[in-house]
Amino acid sequence: MALNVYLAGEIHSDWRADVIAGCADLDITFTAPVTDHEASDDCGVTIMGAETSNFWHDHKSAKLNAIRTRLAISNADIVVVRFGEKYKQWNAAFDAGQAAALGKSLIVMHQGEHQHALKEIDAAALAVVTSAEQVAQILRYTLTGNVPH
Amino acid sequence: MALNVYLAGEIHSDWRADVIAGCADLDITFTAPVTDHEASDDCGVTIMGAETSNFWHDHKSAKLNAIRTRLAISNADIVVVRFGEKYKQWNAAFDAGQAAALGKSLIVMHQGEHQHALKEIDAAALAVVTSAEQVAQILRYTLTGNVPH
Amino acid sequence: MALNVYLAGEIHSDWRADVIAGCADLDITFTAPVTDHEASDDCGVTIMGAETSNFWHDHKSAKLNAIRTRLAISNADIVVVRFGEKYKQWNAAFDAGQAAALGKSLIVMHQGEHQHALKEIDAAALAVVTSAEQVAQILRYTLTGNVPH
Amino acid sequence: MALNVYLAGEIHSDWRADVIAGCADLDITFTAPVTDHEASDDCGVTIMGAETSNFWHDHKSAKLNAIRTRLAISNADIVVVRFGEKYKQWNAAFDAGQAAALGKSLIVMHQGEHQHALKEIDAAALAVVTSAEQVAQILRYTLTGNVPH
Amino acid sequence: MALNVYLAGEIHSDWRADVIAGCADLDITFTAPVTDHEASDDCGVTIMGAETSNFWHDHKSAKLNAIRTRLAISNADIVVVRFGEKYKQWNAAFDAGQAAALGKSLIVMHQGEHQHALKEIDAAALAVVTSAEQVAQILRYTLTGNVPH
Amino acid sequence: MALNVYLAGEIHSDWRADVIAGCADLDITFTAPVTDHEASDDCGVTIMGAETSNFWHDHKSAKLNAIRTRLAISNADIVVVRFGEKYKQWNAAFDAGQAAALGKSLIVMHQGEHQHALKEIDAAALAVVTSAEQVAQILRYTLTGNVPH
Amino acid sequence: MALNVYLAGEIHSDWRADVIAGCADLDITFTAPVTDHEASDDCGVTIMGAETSNFWHDHKSAKLNAIRTRLAISNADIVVVRFGEKYKQWNAAFDAGQAAALGKSLIVMHQGEHQHALKEIDAAALAVVTSAEQVAQILRYTLTGNVPH
Amino acid sequence: MALNVYLAGEIHSDWRADVIAGCADLDITFTAPVTDHEASDDCGVTIMGAETSNFWHDHKSAKLNAIRTRLAISNADIVVVRFGEKYKQWNAAFDAGQAAALGKSLIVMHQGEHQHALKEIDAAALAVVTSAEQVAQILRYTLTGNVPH
């Protein structure tokens, strides 16, 4: 048994590295969106030419990023979505919706302050956690049946 | 040709009534989430018994609401999602993600200030608008081919 | 909005009639397995000829019943499964598994004594209740947004 | 040709080891649920924090276990479900229902005493057997065309 | 509950009329292939122009007939396939294969002499019968739960 | 039996009206793209605001039109695509590709001069014709089994 | 590019070996039903116990064989079905129907005498041939673009 | 993360080689139609025998080519379609339609002169470019997150 796990959501902390480090000995392939904020915002116009309006500037990049994210979500067995403390993070919720509709196992990671606002997404998840360590423990349990001591 | 349209998202303004009024002569069935905020928040514990933690209180209601929203999204030909000016509105983005993954035609409605934060969702939409009148015009064009003068 | 609801499981009490009576004013189509125990057990050999072994006797009837139950589950928006106090009721759990795999909204109804044994099925459900009245309240809320007083 | 086989159901005897030993020379990947009863029951609260009610205690663990079992069933070519002599084993029937709805080849293993109660599940199976040796013989025949002497 | 039933296979006896007559009081929509042998064989060249080879003559008609049969099979809840005493009837077996792959409930009707040759198709069926009367009884049981006296 | 038929492709002749007139007595629902060329080209900017580049001008309208065409193709039992004598008509071929991938019965209508260039699309079709009369005859045969005299 | 090819149908000649030999240098995985006639007929009762009726004797074996054939068809990119000169070969036509319904590329192999009886199956095929050499040439062309001299 | 990319469309320039060269260091499997024009046109009659009409000559080859192209499109994560300056290229638009309906990420490559005629296809794409270099840059960004300097 091997796992393909997509790590969606917040890109301003090291949580992805923490999850991956916690699973270093397990047969898991991790994927993620492009986490270089500038590249993610400007890839479209850089490759396909400048736009005069913000809307089309963003549109071109968002579609390029969709090539990667749609593929990663559709190939994933498990989608982990982390909601950070800041920003609207609607793309995180959008990824969670895609994952739910495709029948992926969904793990949601957020702090308690967002609990009420995230209740619909939590209700679609198979696990709701607050830390990268818990995500790693769940992935380990899924693959090996071992629980932490 | 008839349409089944789900009106997702913001529940603190009259935009749904405006869309419906603008399409009164068209063969469209509109559905929506429960927009009574209190009923939506408390339906679970009211029917199935109180909980001591906020998480499970919300969880029970969110799951009950999911019966309705999942069904409405999966039956819809078109999903319209409005993002208002306030709140996190992650459930709106979550609904948009489900609609996109199920191949529904997606119309997104929001003001310019949220443009950058909503770029991924806008990129998955077939139309991005700012007013209920525009939604009604699009639905009318889809059914009749008539454009506004 | 209308609902198609399949009432699966226990056939030795009046719970189906209670659910239906509680929804008499709602636009719901209810389906159910054949609840005449003798007809259900013997339909196969009655129509297609006797068998000398119990296994094939039951096999013929179980397959005839599957024509109805598979169709009803696949046409349902919501599947309600009641586990009674007696018997193995593996067919109820089997129906719940089919409903879950097909992405149907699942409502499970049972008493507290079976809670631990049904935890996997409860975990796949959008609501877990103990009474037919609660099922009716959930169906009413789903269609109308009204919660009981 | 290779096979991916999920061994569902009863966890209190050595039947999984017997099937696997009987297929040691064949190109088969076996998966199974977590069979450590205590870990399976408590994984949720151990990783995600204690609950005061039995229902939510079990709920958290059942959902974690669902990550593994759903994935294993959806990846399987063949699902073998064993019903033992004791307990309700509704999760075994639930797994069988999921396997049937997903179009998996289903092999059911049980003793004669449960024949009538399992008739619906047997009717959905491609083979009904009583021993691990027979399961191994069927897997061998499927891969090699060899029948036992 | 209503049924959509496709009556496939043999076209040289009155079995379809017998099934339909036996279900005259039931809410069933019956469909069938074009049973006018000459029209079925020549429709293609009559509408789209003559061919010099038998292969393309038959090809054109077979494709026109496929418009009707594919649609009828895909819309059916139940597919009944009758194998008569004469001819190769490969199209009947081909229809049965399509029905099985699409997850339709399959009822096969043939006499005992063909039992061994039809074992693979019978094994995919939910009922194997010899008469139109039995087909009608099964459809009646499926809809009403009534078994014949 | 009733049919839902989408009439795709060329919009500069009366072929749609001819097909519909030839089927006036049959139970067929016809759909079509918006055939008002100007409305189709400008609907996007008329409703959602002007663009300075031709690309985005066309983009907005093409996406609005996609709401209608995707829905019509996905609801159709049969897709008829006519290639006229003029223009590139890539959208006609694009519609044919969507219809083929969705398993719709495809009827292609064109003159002999385009035969070689359309060979891949013809090869995916169940009928290739040159006139609206032939389309009507095929639809009539599909529904009634009647061939023209 | 690699191919997975299922060789269905007639088991009384060496055509499978001829196809495989003709593709010895290509990246193709071939699968086939069990072609040992006796094993195929008796596997069910040999493993699961004798039956007194021919119907159930055949039923048990046909279902065991279905584990292999369903899996091989669903994993195949291309299904080749050969109809020999003798016997009813309804299982060959049944396999062809499954392949067609699952959207597999279908190659049919038969002599001219069966042309009219096989017209529906030929019409669903992407190639109709008479020899194993032609099958090998088609597979070679599909993988390499090379045509025979 | 690895990619499977199908390069559809124009076969009279070296654009495929340019894309592949630009991605030489990336984990991408490229597939393409048979680009030997003569082989593609005549494969059918060469392998399966001559035809007297152009229509059936082309039909046989187009179906053989469909074995390869359907498989390649259905296995692809990304479909790139190039429209050249000459010819009708309806098969390119047909491939784009299949890719869109199957939910593949679509990249369209063409010069500005075709912009209006390709607006429906561009509207279904995640990227519209003019050069092979841009295609390679997009594939590199998708896999690595690196944008060109």
Side-chain angles (χ1 to χ4, degrees), chain A:
Chain A
M1 205 175 189
L3 291 178
N4 194 321
V5 177
Y6 182 62
L7 302 173
E10 191 254 346
I11 62 169
H12 302 94
S13 73
D14 288 337
W15 73 277
R16 283 184 183 82
D18 293 344
V19 171
I20 293 169
C23 300
D25 57 318
L26 300 173
D27 190 0
I28 304 180
T29 302
F30 289 99
T31 55
V34 171
T35 55
D36 175 336
H37 204 141
E38 193 181 353
S40 173
D41 271 7
D42 298 334
C43 58
V45 296
T46 302
I47 296 176
M48 293 182 285
E51 293 292 331
T52 53
S53 86
N54 288 341
F55 183 85
W56 297 121
H57 177 110
D58 282 344
H59 195 75
K60 277 176 152 178
S61 294
K63 280 190 166 171
L64 277 206
N65 286 311
I67 298 178
R68 179 182 176 111
T69 54
R70 286 189 199 175
L71 182 61
I73 292 174
S74 78
N75 284 347
D77 302 311
I78 297 173
V79 173
V80 182
V81 185
R82 168 162 160 76
F83 291 86
E85 283 66 42
K86 294 186 290 187
Y87 308 113
K88 290 291 191 182
Q89 307 181 78
W90 282 321
N91 60 330
F94 184 65
D95 284 354
Q98 291 179 77
L102 297 173
K104 306 296 175 182
S105 289
L106 183 65
I107 299 174
V108 183
M109 179 179 168
H110 62 81
Q111 303 309 309
E113 69 194 293
H114 288 329
Q115 180 266 317
H116 186 67
L118 284 167
K119 63 184 188 296
E120 288 86 2
I121 297 175
D122 286 354
L126 289 176
V128 179
V129 301
T130 56
S131 72
E133 184 184 21
Q134 288 171 310
V135 173
Q137 289 171 340
I138 289 171
L139 298 178
R140 180 173 302 279
Y141 176 73
T142 298
L143 275 181
T144 68
N146 293 331
V147 289
H149 304 294

Side-chain angles (χ1 to χ4, degrees), chain G residues 73-141:
Chain G
I73 292 173
S74 78
N75 284 348
D77 302 310
I78 298 173
V79 173
V80 182
V81 184
R82 170 165 158 75
F83 290 86
E85 284 66 43
K86 294 187 291 188
Y87 308 112
K88 291 291 191 181
Q89 306 180 81
W90 282 320
N91 59 330
F94 183 66
D95 284 354
Q98 291 179 77
L102 296 174
K104 306 296 176 182
S105 288
L106 184 64
I107 300 174
V108 183
M109 179 179 169
H110 63 81
Q111 302 309 309
E113 69 192 291
H114 289 329
Q115 180 267 316
H116 186 67
L118 284 168
K119 64 184 187 294
E120 288 86 2
I121 298 175
D122 286 353
L126 289 177
V128 180
V129 300
T130 58
S131 72
E133 185 185 19
Q134 289 171 309
V135 173
Q137 288 172 341
I138 289 171
L139 298 179
R140 180 173 301 279
Y141 176 72

Side-chain angles (χ1 to χ4, degrees), chain E residues 37 40-41 54-56 58-59 61-63 65-66 70 83-91 93-102 106 110 114-125 128, chain G residues 37 40-41 54-56 58-59 61-63 65-66 70 83-91 93-102 106 110 114-125 128:
Chain E
H37 203 142
S40 172
D41 272 6
N54 287 342
F55 183 85
W56 297 121
D58 283 345
H59 196 76
S61 294
K63 281 190 166 170
N65 285 311
R70 285 188 199 177
F83 291 86
E85 284 66 44
K86 294 187 292 188
Y87 309 111
K88 290 290 189 181
Q89 306 181 80
W90 282 320
N91 60 331
F94 184 66
D95 284 355
Q98 291 179 77
L102 297 174
L106 183 65
H110 62 81
H114 288 329
Q115 180 266 317
H116 186 66
L118 285 167
K119 63 182 186 295
E120 287 85 3
I121 298 174
D122 286 355
V128 180
Chain G
H37 203 142
S40 173
D41 272 8
N54 287 342
F55 183 85
W56 296 121
D58 283 343
H59 196 75
S61 293
K63 280 190 165 170
N65 286 311
R70 285 188 199 176
F83 290 86
E85 284 66 43
K86 294 187 291 188
Y87 308 112
K88 291 291 191 181
Q89 306 180 81
W90 282 320
N91 59 330
F94 183 66
D95 284 354
Q98 291 179 77
L102 296 174
L106 184 64
H110 63 81
H114 289 329
Q115 180 267 316
H116 186 67
L118 284 168
K119 64 184 187 294
E120 288 86 2
I121 298 175
D122 286 353
V128 180

Side-chain angles (χ1 to χ4, degrees), chain B residues 48-121:
Chain B
M48 293 182 286
E51 293 292 331
T52 53
S53 85
N54 288 342
F55 184 85
W56 296 120
H57 177 110
D58 283 343
H59 195 75
K60 279 176 150 176
S61 294
K63 281 189 165 170
L64 276 205
N65 286 311
I67 297 177
R68 179 182 176 113
T69 54
R70 286 188 199 176
L71 182 61
I73 292 173
S74 77
N75 284 348
D77 301 312
I78 297 173
V79 173
V80 183
V81 185
R82 169 163 160 75
F83 290 86
E85 283 66 44
K86 293 186 293 186
Y87 309 113
K88 291 290 190 182
Q89 306 182 78
W90 282 321
N91 60 330
F94 184 66
D95 283 356
Q98 291 180 76
L102 296 174
K104 306 296 176 181
S105 288
L106 183 65
I107 299 174
V108 183
M109 179 180 169
H110 62 82
Q111 303 310 309
E113 70 194 290
H114 289 328
Q115 181 266 318
H116 186 67
L118 284 168
K119 64 184 187 295
E120 289 85 3
I121 298 175

Side-chain angles (χ1 to χ4, degrees), chain H residues 25-131:
Chain H
D25 58 319
L26 300 173
D27 190 0
I28 304 180
T29 302
F30 289 100
T31 56
V34 171
T35 55
D36 174 337
H37 204 143
E38 193 180 352
S40 173
D41 272 6
D42 298 334
C43 59
V45 296
T46 302
I47 295 175
M48 293 182 286
E51 293 292 331
T52 53
S53 86
N54 288 342
F55 183 85
W56 297 121
H57 178 111
D58 283 343
H59 196 74
K60 277 175 150 177
S61 293
K63 281 190 166 172
L64 277 205
N65 286 311
I67 297 177
R68 179 182 176 111
T69 54
R70 286 188 199 175
L71 182 60
I73 292 173
S74 78
N75 284 348
D77 302 310
I78 298 174
V79 173
V80 182
V81 185
R82 168 163 159 76
F83 290 86
E85 284 65 44
K86 294 187 291 188
Y87 308 114
K88 292 290 191 182
Q89 307 181 79
W90 282 321
N91 60 329
F94 184 65
D95 284 355
Q98 291 179 78
L102 296 174
K104 305 296 176 182
S105 288
L106 183 64
I107 299 174
V108 183
M109 179 179 168
H110 63 81
Q111 302 309 310
E113 69 193 293
H114 289 329
Q115 180 266 318
H116 187 67
L118 284 168
K119 64 185 187 295
E120 288 86 3
I121 298 175
D122 286 353
L126 289 177
V128 180
V129 301
T130 57
S131 72

